[in-house]
């Protein structure tokens, strides 16, 4: 198992659009294990492959209290959505920033599991928020893009300073 490096906003690689996975094989299953380890260690309740610089349609999520109920979504598609909810969101690629975002209250998502088996999932509340947040990542979208340009630019400046600090401390 390996903990992976999470890209930090405004890294341009976070804006790459992920490609569909054509074969769910052992290499994908190993990436699932590594992403899950990275997510739990962060800690977080979701992680998209885009965030670890792998531009394929793969998401891991665990919204359980015990952090022992991993959900893996390969090539996910939202086939239905309803209602609206406002929720405070964070992002492992934008550390220390929490802002309210409006998203669909309930969704139905179709995906493959880590063995390539198709499944359908109805989600609402926090799970629906998390799936929509992660699917945005696969489209190259970071949640700060829902904020005003003023707020987004302040966050970008803060994150660039944060990245320079990380690089300064790593020498
Ligand atoms: O994409 C990510 O960076 C993972 C997010 C998923 C998430 C975003 C917004 C709302 C819920 C989940 C991280 O897990 S952010 C950290 C976090 C942890 C617990 C609850 C909310 C956010
Ligand atoms: Zn995120």
């Amino acid at each position: 198992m390996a903990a992976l490096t999470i890209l930090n906003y405004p890294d341009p690689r976070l804006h790459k659009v992920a490609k569909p996975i054509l074969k769910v094989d052992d290499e994908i299953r190993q990436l699932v294990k590594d992403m899950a380890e990275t997510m739990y260690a962060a800690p977080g309740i979701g992680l998209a492959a885009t965030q670890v610089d792998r531009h394929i349609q793969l998401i891991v999520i665990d919204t359980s209290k015990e952090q022992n109920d991993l959900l893996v979504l390969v090539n996910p598609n939202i086939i239905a959505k309803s209602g609206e909810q406002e929720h405070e969101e964070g992002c492992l690629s934008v550390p220390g920033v929490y802002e309210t975002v409006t998203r669909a209250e309930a969704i139905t998502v179709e995906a493959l599991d880590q063995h390539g088996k198709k499944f359908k999932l109805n989600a609402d509340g926090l799970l629906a928020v998390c799936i929509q947040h992660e699917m945005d990542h696969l489209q190259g979208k970071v949640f700060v893009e829902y904020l005003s340009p003023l707020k987004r630019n302040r966050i970008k400046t803060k994150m660039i300073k944060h990245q320079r600090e990380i690089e300064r401390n790593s020498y």
Side-chain angles (χ1 to χ4, degrees):
M1 298 262 263
L4 306 171
T5 301
I6 296 176
L7 298 177
N8 275 339
Y9 183 80
D11 191 312
R13 291 170 289 181
L14 286 170
H15 301 297
K16 290 175 74 167
V17 176
K19 292 186 167 59
I21 293 172
L22 303 179
K23 192 168 183 303
V24 186
D25 56 17
D26 288 345
E27 194 261 337
I28 296 295
R29 282 183 283 274
Q30 182 56 54
L31 178 57
V32 165
K33 287 179 184 164
D34 293 344
M35 283 176 63
E37 180 186 344
T38 304
M39 176 188 73
Y40 288 127
I45 59 174
L47 189 66
T50 307
Q51 294 177 275
V52 292
D53 201 18
R54 294 293 306 272
H55 303 284
I56 54 174
Q57 294 180 15
L58 175 59
I59 290 167
V60 296
I61 288 173
D62 189 341
T63 55
S64 70
K65 279 197 177 26
E66 300 72 25
Q67 291 279 279
N68 61 358
D69 187 11
L70 187 69
L71 172 65
V72 176
L73 298 156
V74 174
N75 302 342
N77 272 301
I78 293 177
I79 59 171
K81 51 170 74 170
S82 63
E84 267 195 6
Q85 62 175 314
E86 289 191 347
H87 198 288
E88 187 175 67
E89 299 193 11
C91 182
L92 297 178
S93 294
V94 195
V97 174
Y98 297 91
E99 292 288 348
T100 300
V101 176
T102 302
R103 295 187 189 270
E105 161 53 33
I107 60 173
T108 301
V109 58
E110 261 180 1
L112 304 180
D113 65 16
Q114 61 181 309
H115 303 288
K117 186 171 184 295
K118 195 171 183 179
F119 70 96
K120 202 183 286 190
L121 173 71
N122 295 315
D124 61 10
L126 178 60
L127 180 58
V129 169
C130 194
I131 292 171
Q132 293 173 83
H133 178 109
E134 302 309 338
M135 286 185 67
D136 272 353
H137 276 301
L138 298 184
Q139 291 304 313
K141 188 167 185 172
V142 182
F143 86 110
V144 297
E145 294 170 49
Y146 291 98
L147 308 178
S148 69
L150 180 67
K151 261 192 179 176
R152 189 164 58 246
N153 287 331
R154 281 183 179 152
I155 291 166
K156 194 174 281 187
T157 304
K158 179 183 168 190
M159 290 303 301
I160 289 168
K161 281 182 185 156
H162 174 77
Q163 195 59 34
R164 285 186 184 140
E165 273 299 303
I166 293 170
E167 286 158 6
R168 229 194 319 274
N169 296 335
S170 64
Y171 289 119

